[in-house]
């Protein structure tokens, strides 16, 4: 079930995994996501916690440190594979979009 859940990542999940290439804590992840998306995407603590918990359950990240309420995470090999698969999927979508003038299907046939 976890595998199906992550075959296509949502945008916040994609950016969280992108941030977790190095060890960091939840607050750092939220700040990095905001910076990467130029403030277009923000993650509240509840949403971030739920997504990180989903990643932990799926084996995509692991906890590396717990200091009080501050937890640090690191991406696993499985998480890297998911991120790389999503990057390839997005690149394919962009390439397909570029082949269609204006991105409209009817103009591509």
């Amino acid at each position: 079930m976890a595998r199906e859940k992550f075959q296509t990542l949502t945008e916040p999940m994609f950016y969280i995994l992108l941030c977790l290439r190095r060890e960091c804590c939840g607050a750092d992840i939220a700040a990095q996501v905001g910076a990467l998306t130029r403030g277009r995407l923000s993650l509240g603590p509840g949403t971030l916690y739920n997504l990180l918990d989903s990643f932990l359950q799926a084996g995509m990240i692991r906890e590396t440190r717990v200091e009080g309420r501050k937890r640090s995470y690191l991406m696993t090999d499985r998480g890297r594979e998911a991120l790389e698969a999503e990057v390839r999927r997005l690149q394919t979508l962009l390439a397909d979009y570029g082949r269609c003038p204006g991105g409209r299907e009817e103009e591509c046939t």
Side-chain angles (χ1 to χ4, degrees):
M1 179 140 174
R3 185 175 207 151
E4 292 173 16
K5 196 175 189 180
F6 290 99
Q7 282 180 343
T8 300
L9 298 175
T10 64
E11 188 178 20
M13 291 175 173
F14 175 77
Y15 283 111
I16 290 171
L17 277 182
L18 201 57
C19 292
L20 282 167
R21 290 173 295 175
R22 296 187 197 94
E23 181 183 77
C24 56
C25 71
D28 294 336
I29 294 167
Q32 286 182 59
V33 168
L36 279 169
T37 63
R38 294 187 176 103
R40 184 182 51 76
L41 184 66
S42 63
L43 295 169
T47 301
L48 181 61
Y49 174 81
N50 290 334
L51 290 172
L52 289 172
D53 189 52
S54 296
F55 282 143
L56 282 166
Q57 297 297 322
M60 293 189 174
I61 63 173
R62 64 181 172 84
E63 273 185 353
T64 53
R65 276 187 292 165
V66 178
E67 298 168 4
R69 294 181 66 187
K70 184 177 179 180
R71 298 171 185 273
S72 294
Y73 305 92
L74 188 63
M75 193 186 318
T76 63
D77 289 341
R78 190 170 181 186
R80 258 188 228 57
E81 289 168 10
L83 180 61
E84 289 166 4
E86 187 67 2
V87 167
R88 285 191 301 273
R89 187 183 75 81
L90 292 172
Q91 287 171 336
T92 301
L93 286 174
L94 286 172
D96 290 346
Y97 184 81
R99 283 192 283 273
C100 299
R104 293 193 291 258
E105 281 289 317
E106 63 272 12
E107 294 178 18
C108 294
T109 55

